Amino acid sequence: MIGQELHHGESFWSFLISVDKDLAECARQRGCSCGGRLHRADYPRAPRSGLDDLPEDYRCRFSFCCDRDGCRKRLTPPSVRFLGRKVYLGAVVILISAMRQGPSPRRLREQSSLFGVDRATITRWQAFWRDHVPKTPFWRLASARLVPLIEIVTLPLSLVEAFGRTNDPYQDWVKLLRFLSPLTVSDSEMIKISR
Ligand SMILES: [Zn+2]
Protein backbone atom coordinates (compact mmCIF):
# COMPACT_ATOMS: atom_id res chain seq x y z
CA MET A 1 0.00 0.00 0.00
CA ILE A 2 1.39 3.37 -0.98
CA GLY A 3 1.32 6.19 1.58
CA GLN A 4 4.15 6.13 4.11
CA GLU A 5 6.81 7.44 1.71
CA LEU A 6 5.05 10.82 1.62
CA HIS A 7 6.41 11.49 5.10
CA HIS A 8 9.92 10.19 4.60
CA GLY A 9 11.64 13.55 4.39
CA GLU A 10 12.63 15.22 1.19
CA SER A 11 13.53 12.24 -0.93
CA PHE A 12 10.07 11.41 -2.28
CA TRP A 13 9.27 15.03 -3.07
CA SER A 14 12.69 15.59 -4.70
CA PHE A 15 12.09 12.47 -6.77
CA LEU A 16 8.81 13.93 -8.10
CA ILE A 17 10.67 17.13 -9.08
CA SER A 18 13.07 15.09 -11.21
CA VAL A 19 10.08 13.50 -12.99
CA ASP A 20 8.52 16.94 -13.62
CA LYS A 21 11.85 18.20 -14.98
CA ASP A 22 11.89 15.32 -17.49
CA LEU A 23 8.30 16.03 -18.53
CA ALA A 24 9.19 19.73 -18.97
CA GLU A 25 12.31 18.93 -20.98
CA CYS A 26 10.30 16.70 -23.37
CA ALA A 27 7.80 19.53 -23.90
CA ARG A 28 10.61 22.06 -24.46
CA GLN A 29 12.28 19.86 -27.06
CA ARG A 30 9.03 19.38 -28.98
CA GLY A 31 8.69 23.16 -29.17
CA CYS A 32 5.60 25.15 -30.06
CA SER A 33 3.11 23.87 -32.66
CA CYS A 34 3.93 27.00 -34.74
CA GLY A 35 7.56 25.91 -34.95
CA GLY A 36 8.74 28.51 -32.42
CA ARG A 37 11.13 27.87 -29.55
CA LEU A 38 9.86 27.62 -25.99
CA HIS A 39 11.29 29.79 -23.23
CA ARG A 40 10.86 29.14 -19.51
CA ALA A 41 7.99 31.14 -18.01
CA ASP A 42 7.21 29.31 -14.77
CA TYR A 43 4.15 30.01 -12.65
CA PRO A 44 4.71 30.76 -8.98
CA ARG A 45 2.96 28.26 -6.70
CA ALA A 46 2.48 28.12 -2.94
CA PRO A 47 1.38 24.56 -2.21
CA ARG A 48 -0.09 23.67 1.17
CA SER A 49 1.40 20.45 2.41
CA GLY A 50 1.84 20.40 6.18
CA LEU A 51 5.46 19.41 5.45
CA ASP A 52 8.30 21.60 6.71
CA ASP A 53 11.00 20.33 4.41
CA LEU A 54 9.32 20.60 1.01
CA PRO A 55 12.05 21.44 -1.55
CA GLU A 56 12.30 25.03 -2.80
CA ASP A 57 11.35 23.95 -6.35
CA TYR A 58 7.78 23.39 -5.17
CA ARG A 59 7.34 27.15 -5.34
CA CYS A 60 7.00 26.95 -9.10
CA ARG A 61 5.05 25.07 -11.73
CA PHE A 62 7.21 24.59 -14.82
CA SER A 63 5.78 26.36 -17.85
CA PHE A 64 6.90 27.79 -21.20
CA CYS A 65 6.09 30.55 -23.60
CA CYS A 66 6.63 30.53 -27.38
CA ASP A 67 9.23 33.08 -28.51
CA ARG A 68 7.62 33.88 -31.88
CA ASP A 69 5.95 37.25 -32.34
CA GLY A 70 2.29 36.77 -33.21
CA CYS A 71 2.16 33.44 -31.34
CA ARG A 72 3.61 33.73 -27.81
CA LYS A 73 1.53 30.72 -26.86
CA ARG A 74 1.75 29.43 -23.31
CA LEU A 75 2.53 25.75 -22.88
CA THR A 76 2.38 24.10 -19.48
CA PRO A 77 3.63 20.51 -19.43
CA PRO A 78 1.88 17.88 -17.30
CA SER A 79 3.03 17.58 -13.71
CA VAL A 80 3.30 14.79 -11.15
CA ARG A 81 3.52 17.36 -8.32
CA PHE A 82 0.49 19.58 -8.85
CA LEU A 83 -3.02 18.38 -9.63
CA GLY A 84 -4.58 21.16 -11.71
CA ARG A 85 -5.07 24.33 -9.72
CA LYS A 86 -5.44 22.65 -6.37
CA VAL A 87 -3.27 24.18 -3.66
CA TYR A 88 -2.42 20.77 -2.24
CA LEU A 89 0.10 18.46 -3.87
CA GLY A 90 -1.38 15.86 -6.19
CA ALA A 91 -0.12 12.90 -4.16
CA VAL A 92 -1.76 14.32 -1.00
CA VAL A 93 -5.10 14.90 -2.79
CA ILE A 94 -5.03 11.30 -4.08
CA LEU A 95 -3.90 9.69 -0.82
CA ILE A 96 -6.35 11.46 1.48
CA SER A 97 -9.27 11.04 -0.96
CA ALA A 98 -8.49 7.32 -1.29
CA MET A 99 -8.33 6.93 2.50
CA ARG A 100 -11.71 8.60 2.79
CA GLN A 101 -13.04 5.63 0.79
CA GLY A 102 -10.92 3.08 2.62
CA PRO A 103 -11.67 0.96 5.68
CA SER A 104 -9.76 2.93 8.34
CA PRO A 105 -11.25 6.22 9.61
CA ARG A 106 -8.47 6.38 12.19
CA ARG A 107 -5.75 6.38 9.53
CA LEU A 108 -7.65 9.03 7.56
CA ARG A 109 -7.77 11.28 10.65
CA GLU A 110 -4.04 10.80 11.30
CA GLN A 111 -3.00 11.52 7.73
CA SER A 112 -5.30 14.48 7.18
CA SER A 113 -4.08 16.18 10.35
CA LEU A 114 -0.44 15.53 9.34
CA PHE A 115 -1.01 17.21 5.99
CA GLY A 116 -3.25 19.91 7.47
CA VAL A 117 -6.33 18.97 5.41
CA ASP A 118 -9.71 19.79 6.94
CA ARG A 119 -13.04 18.01 6.48
CA ALA A 120 -14.51 20.61 4.08
CA THR A 121 -11.49 20.23 1.80
CA ILE A 122 -11.84 16.45 1.74
CA THR A 123 -15.51 16.85 0.81
CA ARG A 124 -14.52 19.12 -2.12
CA TRP A 125 -11.98 16.55 -3.26
CA GLN A 126 -14.63 13.80 -3.18
CA ALA A 127 -16.80 15.96 -5.47
CA PHE A 128 -13.80 16.50 -7.76
CA TRP A 129 -13.29 12.74 -8.20
CA ARG A 130 -16.99 11.95 -8.44
CA ASP A 131 -18.29 14.83 -10.59
CA HIS A 132 -15.36 16.39 -12.44
CA VAL A 133 -12.86 13.66 -13.32
CA PRO A 134 -15.27 11.21 -15.04
CA LYS A 135 -16.46 14.02 -17.37
CA THR A 136 -13.01 15.04 -18.62
CA PRO A 137 -11.84 14.08 -22.13
CA PHE A 138 -8.84 12.47 -20.43
CA TRP A 139 -11.01 10.11 -18.43
CA ARG A 140 -13.19 9.14 -21.39
CA LEU A 141 -10.08 7.95 -23.22
CA ALA A 142 -8.28 6.49 -20.20
CA SER A 143 -11.23 4.56 -18.80
CA ALA A 144 -11.71 2.80 -22.14
CA ARG A 145 -8.27 1.27 -21.59
CA LEU A 146 -8.76 0.47 -17.90
CA VAL A 147 -12.31 -0.82 -17.68
CA PRO A 148 -13.27 -3.06 -15.99
CA LEU A 149 -10.31 -2.50 -13.63
CA ILE A 150 -11.49 0.88 -12.42
CA GLU A 151 -14.82 1.72 -10.88
CA ILE A 152 -15.77 5.39 -11.07
CA VAL A 153 -17.73 5.16 -7.81
CA THR A 154 -14.53 4.48 -5.91
CA LEU A 155 -12.21 7.00 -7.54
CA PRO A 156 -9.42 7.48 -6.58
CA LEU A 157 -9.18 4.44 -4.24
CA SER A 158 -9.64 2.09 -7.19
CA LEU A 159 -6.71 3.80 -8.95
CA VAL A 160 -4.46 3.62 -5.89
CA GLU A 161 -5.21 -0.10 -5.65
CA ALA A 162 -4.66 -0.67 -9.37
CA PHE A 163 -1.32 1.15 -9.42
CA GLY A 164 -0.02 0.28 -5.93
CA ARG A 165 0.90 -3.32 -6.57
CA THR A 166 4.69 -3.52 -6.50
CA ASN A 167 7.22 -3.27 -3.65
CA ASP A 168 8.50 0.02 -5.03
CA PRO A 169 6.12 2.76 -3.87
CA TYR A 170 8.09 5.49 -5.68
CA GLN A 171 7.58 3.78 -9.03
CA ASP A 172 3.93 3.05 -8.21
CA TRP A 173 3.39 6.72 -7.42
CA VAL A 174 5.07 7.89 -10.60
CA LYS A 175 2.98 5.53 -12.72
CA LEU A 176 -0.20 6.70 -11.02
CA LEU A 177 0.70 10.41 -11.08
CA ARG A 178 1.83 10.24 -14.70
CA PHE A 179 -1.38 8.44 -15.62
CA LEU A 180 -3.37 11.29 -14.02
CA SER A 181 -1.07 14.05 -15.28
CA PRO A 182 -3.34 15.00 -18.25
CA LEU A 183 -5.68 16.35 -15.53
CA THR A 184 -2.93 18.87 -14.65
CA VAL A 185 -3.03 20.76 -17.94
CA SER A 186 -5.72 22.87 -19.64
CA ASP A 187 -8.49 21.16 -21.62
CA SER A 188 -7.07 21.91 -25.07
CA GLU A 189 -3.62 20.63 -24.11
CA MET A 190 -5.21 17.69 -22.29
CA ILE A 191 -6.71 16.25 -25.46
CA LYS A 192 -3.33 16.28 -27.22
CA ILE A 193 -1.56 14.61 -24.32
CA SER A 194 -4.24 11.97 -23.79
CA ARG A 195 -3.89 10.71 -27.35
ZN1 LIG B 1 4.32 29.41 -31.13
Side-chain angles (χ1 to χ4, degrees), residues 27 55-56 75 87 94 103 176 178:
E56 187 72 10
L75 191 139
V87 294
I94 294 165
L176 173 54
R178 283 196 71 147

Side-chain angles (χ1 to χ4, degrees), residues 32 34 66 71:
C32 182
C34 80
C66 175
C71 178

